[in-house]
């Protein structure tokens, strides 16, 4: 345990980076995948299970926790860690993604965003200052600036406007964050897929000064090729001695490719959302357990994996549970996916440490391709 927030870069292998983010609540090994616990729960899993998969940190969401049960209520109950019984670090998103995804029920002004609650229709104001206040009340260890994320496709004019607003909000967020020993405040690079805008955003954030930097506004419809090309010119513009976080990404392949480009931290709802719908991610590639061919298959998803959801239960049983709409099926598949994601990150970290990341990337992709044809 350490009181100061910081980042140690242990080794690089090409552009891939092995590091540790230090927080007052414990260390985060990077590259790291953060399971998404939007409203204080990683859907379908006990948090003890999440920890046992190897996760050092989870993610919560400012917007959703603001609506229910309310940040002040969470603070009254001892803070988010105590409330949900998670003693490791927590990162909270600021609500910037909801500024995009809830565009029909929000308005944006210089002061901030005005939302109409999707729960009860009540009106809420989310300014940079209020977003940081909520995160302080929740007690999160990594707190994101409020930004404006825009969908793809968009015009350059829209990208410029959102990037410049996000920079102004970054200054206000940083000031509102204040002094919180052991906690970090991350700025978010915006600018669509435009290199000039991304570099301007990154430079502006570095001038403000944050404990870490995120690449936002990707995985919003632009496709993997454009996403990766944007990371190619954005990541090198960020300080080498600070963590780099790619928000909302992604598939195992997205993660491998982004690590190869110098990204340290990831989050995505994909492993649990896909699990609830019957798709498993494994070292043999994707498995759609709903397919009829699994109905009589007594093999587990991966008999060598230490997670029981992958190694103990037959594909036939998982097929039956998912096709029957049973809650247990959704829970087991979500558990299996979170476990696979964490074992992938463990493999990535070990490969960078041993200077064989490129071999690991190639072999992992080959195994996915070979396994998918036989799954």
């Amino acid at each position: 345990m350490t009181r100061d927030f910081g980042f140690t870069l242990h080794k690089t292998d090409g552009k891939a980076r092995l590091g540790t983010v230090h927080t007052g609540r414990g260390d985060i090994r990077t590259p790291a995948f953060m399971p998404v616990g939007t409203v204080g729960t990683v859907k379908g899993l006990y948090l003890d299970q999440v920890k046992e998969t190897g996760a050092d940190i989870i993610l919560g969401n400012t917007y959703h926790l603001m609506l229910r049960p309310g940040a002040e209520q969470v603070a009254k109950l001892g803070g988010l860690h105590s409330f949900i019984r998670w003693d490791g670090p927590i990162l909270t998103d600021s609500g910037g993604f909801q500024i995009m995804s809830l565009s029909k029920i929000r308005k944006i002004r210089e002061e901030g965003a005005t939302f109409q609650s999707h729960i009860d229709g009540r009106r809420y104001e989310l300014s940079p200052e209020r977003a940081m206040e909520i995160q302080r009340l929740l007690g999160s260890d990594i707190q994101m600036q409020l930004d404006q994320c825009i969908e793809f496709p968009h015009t350059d004019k829209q990208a410029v406007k959102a990037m410049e607003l996000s920079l102004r909000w970054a200054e206000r967020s940083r000031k509102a964050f204040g002094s919180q020993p052991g906690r970090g405040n991350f700025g978010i690079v915006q600018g669509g897929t435009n290199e000039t805008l991304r570099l301007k955003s990154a430079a502006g954030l570095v001038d403000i000064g944050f404990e870490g930097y995120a690449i936002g506004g990707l995985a919003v419809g632009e496709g993997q090729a454009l996403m990766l090309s944007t990371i190619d010119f954005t990541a090198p513009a960020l300080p080498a001695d600070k963590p780099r976080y790619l928000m909302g990404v992604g598939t195992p392949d997205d993660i491998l490719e982004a690590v190869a480009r110098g990204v340290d931290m990831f989050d995505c709802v994909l492993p649990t959302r896909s699990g609830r719908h019957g798709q498993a991610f494994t070292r043999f590639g994707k498995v759609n357990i709903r397919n009829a061919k699994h109905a009589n298959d007594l093999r587990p998803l991966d008999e060598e994996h230490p997670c029981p959801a992958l190694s103990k239960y037959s594909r036939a049983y998982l097929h039956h549970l998912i096709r029957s709409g049973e809650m247990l099926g959704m829970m087991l598949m979500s558990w299996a996916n979170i476990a696979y994601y964490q074992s992938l990150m463990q493999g990535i970290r070990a490969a960078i440490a041993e200077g064989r990341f490129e071999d690991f990337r190639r072999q992992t992709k080959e195994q996915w391709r070979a396994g998918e044809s036989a799954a």
Side-chain angles (χ1 to χ4, degrees), residues 277-355:
H277 290 88
Q279 184 179 68
F281 293 95
T282 77
R283 63 190 173 103
F284 309 111
K286 291 178 286 189
V287 177
N288 183 354
I289 207 69
R290 299 183 68 91
N291 286 350
K293 66 179 181 179
H294 299 299
N296 297 305
D297 193 339
L298 293 176
R299 295 177 301 157
L301 290 167
D302 183 351
E303 63 184 7
E304 295 180 11
H305 200 283
C307 175
L310 281 159
S311 59
K312 183 176 180 180
Y313 299 92
S314 72
R315 298 179 186 215
Y317 183 51
L318 294 171
H319 170 84
H320 161 67
L321 292 175
I322 291 294
R323 291 291 294 266
S324 301
E326 284 292 330
M327 187 183 305
L328 179 59
M330 302 177 201
M331 293 169 66
L332 288 172
M333 293 288 285
S334 298
W335 187 13
N337 284 345
I338 291 292
Y340 174 68
Y341 267 63
Q342 294 303 332
S343 61
L344 174 65
M345 305 316 294
Q346 291 162 12
I348 288 171
R349 292 192 295 265
I352 298 171
E354 296 165 11

Side-chain angles (χ1 to χ4, degrees), residues 5 24 135-136 139-141 143 177 180-185 211:
F5 190 98
Q135 293 179 83
R136 184 189 285 259
S140 51
D141 305 281
Q143 303 173 15
F177 176 77
Q180 299 186 51
R183 297 176 180 173
N185 180 206
E211 282 76 33

Side-chain angles (χ1 to χ4, degrees), residues 202-280:
L205 293 171
V206 172
D207 284 345
I208 295 168
F210 289 88
E211 282 76 33
Y213 297 88
I215 303 173
L218 293 178
V220 291
E222 76 282 357
Q224 190 192 55
L226 261 180
M227 177 184 76
L228 295 178
S229 66
T230 303
I231 298 168
D232 278 330
F233 54 69
T234 304
L238 300 175
D241 61 348
K242 299 290 178 69
R244 302 165 178 170
Y245 164 30
L246 179 59
M247 303 182 74
V249 175
T251 66
D253 188 59
D254 290 338
I255 290 172
L256 264 185
E257 291 300 319
V259 166
R261 290 161 171 81
V263 175
D264 306 307
M265 300 171 67
F266 304 88
D267 81 280
C268 192
V269 298
L270 188 62
T272 48
R273 179 176 290 169
S274 294
R276 294 195 302 276
H277 290 88
Q279 184 179 68

Side-chain angles (χ1 to χ4, degrees), residues 39-359:
V39 295
T41 171
V42 178
K43 289 186 187 298
L45 279 77
Y46 297 109
L47 287 177
D48 287 346
Q49 290 175 305
V50 175
K51 180 163 288 187
E52 286 169 6
T53 65
D56 294 329
I57 178 173
I58 61 172
L59 181 144
N61 184 271
T62 292
Y63 168 80
H64 289 285
L65 291 166
M66 170 185 74
L67 298 187
R68 188 169 53 190
E72 282 75 13
Q73 175 69 359
V74 172
K76 188 190 304 182
L77 295 168
L80 189 57
H81 297 83
S82 175
F83 186 49
I84 69 174
R85 311 309 298 171
W86 172 264
D87 61 5
I90 296 176
L91 180 148
T92 43
D93 190 3
S94 64
F97 180 78
Q98 282 70 39
I99 289 177
M100 177 191 73
S101 64
L102 302 176
S103 59
K104 294 181 180 178
I105 56 173
R106 65 96 176 108
K107 293 181 180 178
I108 298 176
R109 299 173 297 148
E110 185 67 34
E111 293 82 359
T114 304
F115 291 91
Q116 186 178 3
S117 169
H118 67 282
I119 298 169
D120 58 13
R122 289 177 57 194
R123 192 166 296 278
Y124 289 84
E125 299 277 348
L126 191 61
S127 66
E129 292 77 13
R130 177 57 178 160
M132 301 315 300
E133 180 186 25
I134 291 169
Q135 293 179 83
R136 184 189 285 259
L137 286 166
L138 295 174
S140 51
D141 305 281
I142 299 177
Q143 303 173 15
M144 306 302 298
Q145 72 150 102
L146 184 64
D147 66 323
Q148 183 185 1
C149 180
I150 56 174
E151 288 182 297
F152 187 89
H154 51 254
T155 65
D156 280 347
K157 183 178 179 180
Q158 290 171 320
V160 168
K161 187 176 180 181
M163 183 275 288
E164 291 181 343
L165 179 63
S166 295
L167 265 183
R168 294 193 296 274
W169 282 0
E171 288 191 71
R172 291 166 57 189
S173 296
R174 185 60 176 165
K175 184 177 179 181
F177 176 77
S179 176
Q180 299 186 51
R183 297 176 180 173
N185 180 206
F186 282 23
I188 304 175
V189 180
Q190 290 290 352
T193 56
N194 182 300
E195 182 173 2
T196 300
L197 296 182
R198 285 279 175 178
L199 296 182
K200 183 178 179 181
S201 176
L205 293 171
V206 172
D207 284 345
I208 295 168
F210 289 88
E211 282 76 33
Y213 297 88
I215 303 173
L218 293 178
V220 291
E222 76 282 357
Q224 190 192 55
L226 261 180
M227 177 184 76
L228 295 178
S229 66
T230 303
I231 298 168
D232 278 330
F233 54 69
T234 304
L238 300 175
D241 61 348
K242 299 290 178 69
R244 302 165 178 170
Y245 164 30
L246 179 59
M247 303 182 74
V249 175
T251 66
D253 188 59
D254 290 338
I255 290 172
L256 264 185
E257 291 300 319
V259 166
R261 290 161 171 81
V263 175
D264 306 307
M265 300 171 67
F266 304 88
D267 81 280
C268 192
V269 298
L270 188 62
T272 48
R273 179 176 290 169
S274 294
R276 294 195 302 276
H277 290 88
Q279 184 179 68
F281 293 95
T282 77
R283 63 190 173 103
F284 309 111
K286 291 178 286 189
V287 177
N288 183 354
I289 207 69
R290 299 183 68 91
N291 286 350
K293 66 179 181 179
H294 299 299
N296 297 305
D297 193 339
L298 293 176
R299 295 177 301 157
L301 290 167
D302 183 351
E303 63 184 7
E304 295 180 11
H305 200 283
C307 175
L310 281 159
S311 59
K312 183 176 180 180
Y313 299 92
S314 72
R315 298 179 186 215
Y317 183 51
L318 294 171
H319 170 84
H320 161 67
L321 292 175
I322 291 294
R323 291 291 294 266
S324 301
E326 284 292 330
M327 187 183 305
L328 179 59
M330 302 177 201
M331 293 169 66
L332 288 172
M333 293 288 285
S334 298
W335 187 13
N337 284 345
I338 291 292
Y340 174 68
Y341 267 63
Q342 294 303 332
S343 61
L344 174 65
M345 305 316 294
Q346 291 162 12
I348 288 171
R349 292 192 295 265
I352 298 171
E354 296 165 11
R356 54 178 181 84
F357 175 73
E358 280 306 314
D359 286 342

